[in-house]
Amino acid sequence: MSIFERRESQVQSYAKSFPVVFDKAQGATLTDEKDNKFIDFLAGAGSLNYGHNDPDMREALIEYLGSGGITHGLDMHTKAKAAFLNAFEQYILEPRKLDYVLQFTGPTGANAVEAALKLARKVTGRSNVISFTNGFHGVTLGALATTGNEHHRGAAGVDMPGSSTMPYDGYLGKDLDSTEYLDRALGDPSSGVDLPAAVIVECVQGEGGLTAARIDWLQNLEQVCRRHDVLLIVDDIQAGCGRTGTFFSFEPAGIKPDMVTLSKSLSGYGLPFAVTLINRDLDIWEPGEHNGTFRGNNHAFVTATVALEKFWQDDSFANGVKDKGEKLLSGFKAIQENYADQVVELRGRGMMRGIVVESGDLASRIVEESFKRGLVIETSGAHGEVVKCLASLTITDKELARGLDILNQAFDAAINAGNSNLIAAE
């Protein structure tokens, strides 16, 4: 029995899907302790958009550590924080004409969501929040109340009031715009839906199955929020930091959320880091009213600053992501053509894409067969029926092509294995 089996909780999940001991990583490649190499289409569940161990971030962090720079600073001012704020203002906010203030929350995405929900309720004096089917916003109780997944909600052990669930784009069919129902419900005092403090939404649903909201749906959603004086929160924790081809996933829609939550790839290096972006007029917090001991991760400030300076000074990186997203989509279309009977549809945007197959069992077999051949990839969706690709945005074309080739082989092996099992059962 290994030390992991002996001492680690059964709550672990990725370790069961990828049962090796990983040792090193670089770019889009993971290496285990036996020197076996794996192409990484998981990227820390979207926390490693710039790949593993970016050399410039690593060098900056080593230099900072060697200099005796501040590690833990609560919310005190530090040189590392100032550098990050200046870079974020210069490369992200000002080019997009956004005037957000940044709240440094606890280190996870759920912390950023909790802060956004709490502030929305404080600003409006209302308690209800509108969330959407298949949405995922975290597993702490406030965020979990806005998360749709039964598996995660069931672990809470308590009722979770304070959120009303509405159909996400496409949930009722592609010909219906669910924002019309939301508009009607919010305008009808007998609808049974309490006027909310906020609406929280993912422009592309990560854990919920890679459904990407249509641009006009997002625009209509913003208009509904404005019409009813409801705040709009975009959860960009998984879809942000360039994952969909723009720094923020909402940019193509031209909308301006009241708050935005960021985490995962914000540090650029896989270090814990989360922020809530707040429309300046809504920043009514009293000092220390919402806090967290680890809201000042200066090591993350250092690597995040390098990420912004290296990848976001102009549009070249974003354009490269869009190009790779098209290559990924082409590869997925080829798989769809090869296995038309098993592939239901393709979903996503940019480098955040999924292949919906006929069952969660098949998707799990595909993940297993992929891993046997040297590819790390996961599933998502209500039934685990979506094979989900979150390859790093810096992956080379050669690595991307190799990963897609392995995935195609895995589809073939998984489908044939399923057919053999059916024959044996008969």
Side-chain angles (χ1 to χ4, degrees):
M1 181 181 290
S2 72
I3 186 64
F4 307 108
E5 295 168 308
R6 202 162 61 243
R7 291 297 177 190
E8 193 170 1
S9 165
Q10 287 301 305
V11 77
Q12 60 187 298
S13 60
Y14 288 111
K16 292 180 172 64
S17 297
F18 314 118
V20 298
V21 178
F22 290 105
D23 183 34
K24 296 177 182 178
Q26 185 63 52
T29 301
L30 287 160
T31 305
D32 71 12
E33 63 179 354
K34 297 179 180 178
D35 207 35
N36 297 307
K37 299 188 183 303
F38 302 83
I39 293 176
D40 188 3
F41 272 18
L42 175 60
S47 297
L48 296 162
N49 281 2
Y50 312 107
H52 296 269
N53 282 306
D54 176 89
D56 296 307
M57 296 182 209
R58 180 174 58 208
E59 182 178 346
L61 182 56
I62 290 171
E63 181 179 346
Y64 185 79
L65 290 168
S67 73
I70 294 289
T71 295
H72 182 280
L74 296 170
D75 67 359
M76 292 184 285
H77 296 169
T78 66
K79 288 185 67 175
K81 184 195 283 187
F84 168 74
L85 285 169
N86 279 319
F88 198 82
E89 179 181 66
Q90 180 178 354
Y91 301 124
I92 304 303
L93 296 180
E94 289 183 343
R96 293 161 181 80
K97 296 180 171 56
L98 297 172
D99 188 25
Y100 293 125
V101 296
L102 279 68
Q103 178 180 356
F104 297 98
T105 66
T108 73
N111 296 134
V113 169
E114 295 283 0
L117 298 179
K118 190 172 174 180
L119 182 58
R121 288 167 172 143
K122 179 178 173 66
V123 167
T124 64
R126 306 176 207 135
S127 61
N128 192 33
V129 171
I130 297 294
S131 55
F132 291 95
T133 51
N134 289 309
F136 183 90
H137 303 287
V139 295
T140 52
L141 285 182
L144 188 58
T146 63
T147 291
N149 185 278
E150 181 183 43
H151 173 72
H152 291 102
R153 292 175 66 88
V158 297
D159 292 334
M160 289 168 290
S163 180
S164 300
T165 304
M166 290 286 163
Y168 190 74
D169 188 27
Y171 190 78
L172 300 175
K174 295 180 179 180
D175 296 330
L176 294 174
D177 184 343
S178 57
T179 64
E180 294 180 9
Y181 172 66
L182 175 61
D183 190 25
R184 180 69 177 269
L186 296 186
D188 182 355
S190 293
S191 68
V193 178
D194 294 333
L195 186 66
V199 167
I200 185 167
V201 66
E202 301 162 275
C203 297
V204 182
Q205 295 186 318
E207 300 306 304
L210 281 296
T211 301
R214 292 170 293 186
I215 297 303
D216 58 350
W217 187 88
L218 292 169
Q219 293 168 340
N220 293 340
L221 179 63
E222 182 187 45
Q223 291 170 13
V224 170
C225 289
R226 302 298 172 237
R227 191 152 45 242
H228 296 280
D229 191 28
V230 171
L231 301 181
L232 177 60
I233 303 168
V234 168
D235 181 340
D236 236 3
I237 289 163
Q238 191 163 131
C241 298
R243 173 57 58 183
T244 63
T246 50
F247 187 85
F248 296 112
S249 66
F250 57 82
E251 289 181 54
I255 62 175
K256 291 192 175 181
D258 297 292
M259 287 183 258
V260 183
T261 58
L262 291 173
S263 185
K264 286 196 180 282
S265 282
L266 183 59
S267 78
Y269 203 69
L271 299 175
F273 188 19
V275 300
T276 301
L277 308 182
I278 304 166
N279 184 311
R280 185 178 297 276
D281 296 336
L282 303 177
D283 185 26
I284 63 170
W285 288 120
E286 295 292 333
E289 191 173 18
H290 184 92
N291 57 36
T293 304
F294 296 101
R295 63 192 183 276
N297 186 348
N298 283 259
H299 295 164
F301 294 154
V302 170
T303 55
T305 300
V306 174
L308 295 173
E309 292 172 345
K310 180 174 181 176
F311 296 106
W312 296 101
Q313 289 197 37
D314 54 37
D315 294 332
S316 58
F317 177 70
N319 289 335
V321 174
K322 292 172 186 174
D323 180 63
K324 287 176 186 173
E326 288 303 311
K327 290 183 171 68
L328 179 59
L329 178 59
S330 295
F332 277 14
K333 285 181 176 178
I335 291 173
Q336 183 180 36
E337 291 173 4
N338 290 340
Y339 309 103
D341 291 340
Q342 290 80 22
V343 175
V344 178
E345 63 175 322
L346 306 181
R347 293 180 184 166
R349 178 149 53 93
M351 286 289 284
M352 187 175 184
R353 296 192 182 273
I355 305 176
V356 186
V357 296
E358 58 186 359
S359 71
D361 288 341
L362 175 57
S364 293
R365 291 201 304 272
I366 292 167
V367 167
E368 183 180 354
E369 293 294 341
S370 294
F371 187 65
K372 289 178 183 177
R373 291 162 174 77
L375 176 68
V376 172
I377 193 168
E378 70 169 334
T379 64
S380 70
H383 305 284
E385 76 282 12
V386 184
V387 180
K388 174 185 179 184
C389 179
L390 293 179
S392 67
L393 310 184
T394 55
I395 191 170
T396 65
D397 287 347
K398 183 178 180 180
E399 290 169 322
L400 183 60
R402 175 59 181 154
L404 287 168
D405 181 54
I406 292 174
L407 188 59
N408 189 70
Q409 295 174 32
F411 263 77
D412 185 65
I415 290 167
N416 286 335
N419 291 338
S420 297
N421 290 338
L422 285 174
I423 293 172
E426 291 173 356

